[in-house]
Every structure is written in structure tokens, then in C-alpha cells.
Amino acid sequence: MRIFITVIFHIFIFGTLVCQKDNIIYLYKDSSERDRPAMFHFPPKTHSTGAAVLIFPGGGYQGLAMDHEGFDVANWFAEQGTTAFVVRYSLGKFDGSGHRHPDMLNDAKRAMRMVRSNADTYKILPDLIGVMGFSAGGHLASTLCTHFDDGDPNAQEIVEKISCLPNFCILGYPVIKMKGENTHWGSRRFLLGPTPKQTDIDELSNENHVSVATPPTFIFTTSDDKIVPVENSLAYFSALKSKGIPAELHVFEHGDHGKGLLVDDFALKQWSGLLQNWLIRWKIINIK
């Protein structure tokens, strides 16, 4: 029996690795790191809506919850007919010797440009590509939505000439603030290093950088989140409304941080249904 279980386990792991190898897209050709920045492509499992979403898993900028905040969510979108890409972005180290800002943002920008420039290949609409991020991944998603650019018209590489502005944004219990008592200090340290510059702290406090071009946003969180206080989501929602950006916020009474789709709370697990309704209203997906 033990041998049988072991064989099944190795078949499962091998199958997972093969699947990931087949759908992996590296962001940079000149990188030789084993865990270098990449995307994992999940095509629609049913009729295509023409929409696509880039998913940034959380992990405090020191790790990535690739399964329940990445692959599981990508499969959920694929079942809705939406093309999904799970982004494996750069990570920092406690002592500041790893990647630091702007590496993570550059990865996010690159991923968006690559997807948009290959819209025909992926059979998606270039103006219907959004982002979704959880926790620190939510910070990265909101950073892209507030620190985007139109591309470099003088770039030699065609992909770098493309806009990296998302068309919609979805945030799950996101890190937003980089200063004050509601900051998630771990995310800040791994993003900016142990002695961050005040200019970087100000620049990446995303509630202060929402503009009229920031895309429509769906946010969900819990009022008793012990890891990333609800004030992060409230501040970003308030900033969106102050700029006239369409936004929807759901604050559930209870729920642990970092659940993704693995929710055992009856109320909190409704977030995916609420998101589906929002996506339908915005004509990002349609149900047949």
C-alpha cells in the first residue's frame, strides 16, 4: 500500500511539473535563475470571453502562494472562459540582498506588455486585460494600476513599446500602505530593504497615487484580518472614489488572512460569487 501511494504521489508531482513546464513563459530571455520571473498560462476551458487576467499571488514579497492564490484562481477564471496568467515575480530577502523595488514592478509591467503584445496569439482583446493580486500581490497589482506607463516609443524591443495599464483590477486583502501603523512591515522590508528611502516609502504608498486613469477595481477583505489590516483596503477604496473611479468593496466580518479560494467560512467564501457578478456587470465575462 505504501509503495502504491508513493507511486501515485510521484505521478502527481511529475504531471504537475510537466503541466507547468508546458505552459511557462519566461519574462526575460537573458536570465539564468532557476526561479526567474515567469508566467504560467491557463487558456479558457469553455467559450472564450476575450478577457485575460494576470494573477499575482501573495507571500509578503518573500515567497509566493502559487497554488491557492495562483493556480487555483487561474483555473477558476479559465472555467469562466477567461484566459489567465499566474505571474512568478521577483522576491526580496530579509537583509536586503535579494531583489528590491523596482524589480517587482518591472516584472509586472513586463508581464502585462507581453500578454497585450501577443493578444492575437492568445485570442484575447488587448483592451480587456486586467490584474488580480492577493496580499503583497495585491500591492503589486495596485502598484501597476497607479504607476503604469504607455511604453517607450524608442525601445528596440517591440514589447517595450506597449502600454502596461491594466483595464480592470481585483484585489484580495491587499497590502496598500507603506507607512503608518497599518503597514504590513514584512512586505515593506522585503520590497524596499531594511533601511528604505523615504521617497520609496512615499512612492509605494499606493493610496496616494490613484489617478483618473486607474482602472475600475473590485476589493474584498475582512474586518478582523490580523496580518494586513482592513484600513489598507479602506484607504485605497476611498482614494478610488475621490478620483471618480468605479469601485466595489466587500468587507466581511470574519476571516483569516491568505485564504484565496480555500475558504471554510460560509460568508467569506461568497467573495468569488460576488466577483463573478462584478465581472459580468462589467462585461468582462459572460455566462452561457
Side-chain angles (χ1 to χ4, degrees):
M1 184 65 178
R2 181 177 298 175
I3 294 175
F4 175 76
I5 293 174
T6 301
V7 170
I8 293 298
F9 173 77
H10 281 93
I11 290 175
F12 173 77
I13 294 298
F14 178 75
T16 301
L17 291 175
V18 169
C19 178
Q20 292 183 3
K21 182 179 179 180
D22 288 346
N23 69 355
I24 193 169
I25 305 161
Y26 293 107
L27 299 187
Y28 311 102
K29 294 180 180 179
D30 59 350
S31 177
S32 60
E33 296 179 38
R34 175 175 164 275
D35 60 346
R36 63 188 187 271
M39 296 185 292
F40 296 88
H41 175 215
F42 290 75
K45 294 182 179 180
T46 178
H47 66 284
S48 174
T49 64
V53 61
L54 278 64
I55 302 167
F56 302 103
Y61 283 118
Q62 61 178 306
L64 293 172
M66 293 295 284
D67 289 328
H68 69 284
E69 291 180 349
F71 301 145
D72 291 351
V73 180
N75 278 314
W76 182 87
F77 272 103
E79 290 170 355
Q80 317 296 317
T82 300
T83 301
F85 299 86
V86 180
V87 182
R88 185 175 69 195
Y89 52 90
S90 299
L91 299 173
K93 291 186 177 180
F94 187 80
D95 62 1
S97 63
H99 289 281
R100 297 167 72 169
H101 174 73
D103 293 350
M104 295 74 160
L105 177 57
N106 287 339
D107 291 347
K109 288 183 175 182
R110 177 77 176 182
M112 178 59 73
R113 297 190 214 280
M114 289 180 67
V115 171
R116 181 164 281 139
S117 64
N118 288 284
D120 289 343
T121 300
Y122 297 125
K123 298 179 180 179
I124 59 176
L125 300 173
D127 59 352
L128 201 57
I129 305 172
V131 290
M132 180 173 192
F134 296 86
S135 194
H139 182 267
L140 183 55
S142 65
T143 303
L144 184 59
C145 291
T146 53
H147 297 72
F148 56 86
D149 61 68
D150 294 329
D152 181 1
N154 299 316
Q156 293 184 345
E157 194 176 5
I158 293 178
V159 67
E160 291 299 323
K161 298 181 179 183
I162 305 297
S163 169
C164 63
L165 171 63
N167 299 112
F168 60 91
C169 179
I170 306 162
L171 303 176
Y173 38 86
V175 173
I176 296 293
K177 295 174 171 287
M178 284 287 122
K179 55 185 176 181
E181 61 180 359
N182 294 309
T183 300
H184 184 245
W185 298 103
S187 291
R188 192 179 97 165
R189 181 173 185 126
F190 282 88
L191 175 66
L192 299 178
T195 56
K197 298 177 181 178
Q198 186 61 49
T199 52
D200 286 339
I201 293 173
D202 294 338
E203 181 67 15
L204 293 176
S205 296
N206 291 335
E207 74 277 17
N208 297 324
H209 297 282
V210 172
S211 71
V212 294
T214 300
T217 303
F218 177 98
I219 310 170
F220 77 93
T221 187
T222 63
S223 63
D224 60 355
D225 191 325
K226 301 297 191 299
I227 307 299
V228 177
V230 65
E231 283 78 8
N232 284 262
S233 294
L234 296 176
Y236 196 69
F237 177 77
S238 178
L240 290 167
K241 295 307 295 178
S242 71
K243 294 295 183 179
I245 306 301
E248 183 167 318
L249 170 64
H250 295 276
V251 180
F252 295 91
E253 184 178 1
H254 299 299
D256 294 332
H257 183 79
K259 285 292 188 178
L261 283 171
L262 300 178
V263 181
D264 51 11
D265 180 85
F266 175 78
L268 180 56
K269 71 179 181 180
Q270 305 302 317
W271 75 259
S272 59
L274 293 168
L275 172 59
Q276 185 183 62
N277 292 338
W278 185 81
L279 293 169
I280 292 171
R281 287 201 308 275
W282 276 94
K283 302 185 185 311
I284 297 169
I285 67 172
N286 54 73
I287 302 298
K288 288 187 177 181

